[in-house]
DNA sequence: GCCTGGATACTCGGATACCCCATGTCCGAGTTCGCTTGG
DNA sequence: CCAAGCGAACTCGGACATGGGGTATCCGAGTATCCAGGC
């Protein structure tokens, strides 16, 4: 099980969008992070479909966060890119084979599925507790100088 | 992100091995669950490499749990099949691009990686809290009749 | 009846194809900005 | 000088190739069992 690499990119983009006062094009975000612009665009489209960012077209267009960074959780970003489905999918193999459990007794998920779903729930809960604004504050305390502010200025400056 | 389907199979196998008093061949486990025997063998090999089950060769050979079911956590089974590496891999994109953070300031993981690692930790903690024996007990209370005992008898009976 | 030896049948283990999804890329539709032109 | 119109450039959005890992399979190495034969 490996998380898609786009998740990391999307999270970084959300954090830097916090520092931007104007729409930022996908190509510019890609240049900032040194990653493929066309593929990053794909991730941003996912964020747009999920309603986390708003896309404005035209010459001075780009992406803007739709809500306050305080109101965007990391979980929302992850689910926007990875999809909301659980990490564990139950095949119901208990209903197969010679000792199959009759479907009438399978109204609730089996013990294994319940355990895996609980773990999945804990994972999502941990991601829900952190907001994009929290991430920005962490970055602020991690390094000397106003890194996020610098990035915001770089985004505004024409290349 | 999707968990490998083999995880479900491996967990079911561990639970039913709880009810077996003698070595059970991979083919028999596959027949019981109605899945591909050759592919299930692959998962069992992973469990064997991880030291969770012991393989005995020969005519009456098969797989046996190495420890008491109480001492085998679900996490161990999952990690045996999926690998122990974290679900999130940090590409360190903060060190790339025109605003790259100097490597000297990157001794600790970035805020995003820390958050993802914490969530991963919570997920693993939830899986660690449940043992294979717990799963067996859950199965026992889920259905009427000694299902696990029936399975144990079926495993012993020659097909 | 008991022991020994060998053939047998069954087991695991690793090496080998196949297929789907994540990765990576491209071009077209749509919109905004800026310039030109006329009043 | 101002307004309108037009062109151009820039943006996003979805459709299109490609590669790696999970999925599925096979055959060879090894060993416990079983049976036959001899003592």
């Amino acid at each position: 099980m490996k998380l898609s690499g786009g998740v990391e990119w999307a999270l970084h983009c959300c954090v830097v969008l916090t520092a931007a006062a104007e729409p930022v094009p996908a190509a510019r975000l890609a240049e900032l992070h040194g990653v493929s612009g066309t593929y990053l665009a794909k991730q941003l489209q996912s964020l747009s479909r999920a309603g986390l960012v708003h896309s404005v077209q035209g010459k001075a267009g780009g992406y803007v966060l739709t809500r306050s960074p305080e109101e965007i959780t990391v979980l929302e970003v992850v689910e926007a890119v990875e999809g909301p489905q659980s990490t564990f999918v139950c095949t119901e193999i208990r209903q197969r084979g010679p000792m199959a459990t009759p479907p009438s007794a399978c109204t609730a998920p089996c013990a294994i599925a319940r355990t895996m779903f609980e773990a999945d729930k804990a994972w999502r809960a941990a991601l829900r507790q952190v907001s994009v604004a929290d991430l920005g504050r962490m970055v602020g305390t991690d390094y000397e100088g106003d890194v996020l502010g610098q990035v915001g200025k770089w985004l505004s400056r024409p290349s």
Side-chain angles (χ1 to χ4, degrees), chain A:
Chain A
M1 176 173 69
K2 194 171 69 64
L3 214 48
S4 163
V7 171
E8 184 184 7
W9 297 6
L11 283 170
H12 275 270
C13 285
C14 285
V15 173
V16 301
L17 280 180
T18 295
E22 59 208 69
V24 182
R28 193 136 186 85
L29 287 170
E31 185 191 358
L32 172 64
H33 293 113
V35 298
S36 159
T38 53
Y39 187 40
L40 180 62
K42 201 178 179 60
Q43 316 301 339
L44 290 170
Q45 283 172 32
S46 296
L47 294 182
S48 178
R49 267 192 291 268
L52 295 179
V53 300
H54 179 65
S55 69
V56 322
Q57 286 200 336
K59 191 163 188 181
Y63 289 99
V64 191
L65 295 178
T66 52
R67 299 177 236 160
S68 158
E70 297 282 357
E71 295 170 350
I72 302 180
T73 68
V74 174
L75 176 62
E76 285 178 292
V77 178
V78 172
E79 287 190 338
V81 176
E82 283 291 323
Q85 74 282 3
S86 168
T87 58
F88 180 79
V89 286
C90 184
T91 322
E92 287 291 334
I93 65 178
R94 62 177 168 174
Q95 298 187 28
R96 304 167 58 175
M99 297 289 288
T101 306
S104 59
C106 295
T107 55
C110 73
I112 290 173
R114 287 203 301 274
T115 303
M116 300 302 291
F117 288 155
E118 279 301 312
D120 187 82
K121 213 168 160 183
W123 181 67
R124 289 186 147 78
L127 292 180
R128 198 183 349 251
Q129 282 175 1
V130 181
S131 70
V132 171
D134 291 330
L135 290 179
R137 278 189 287 270
M138 289 191 215
V139 171
T141 59
D142 273 355
Y143 314 106
E144 296 299 324
D146 185 12
V147 178
L148 229 47
Q150 297 281 336
V151 170
K153 286 175 70 176
W154 184 88
L155 287 176
S156 308
R157 196 178 336 174
S159 59

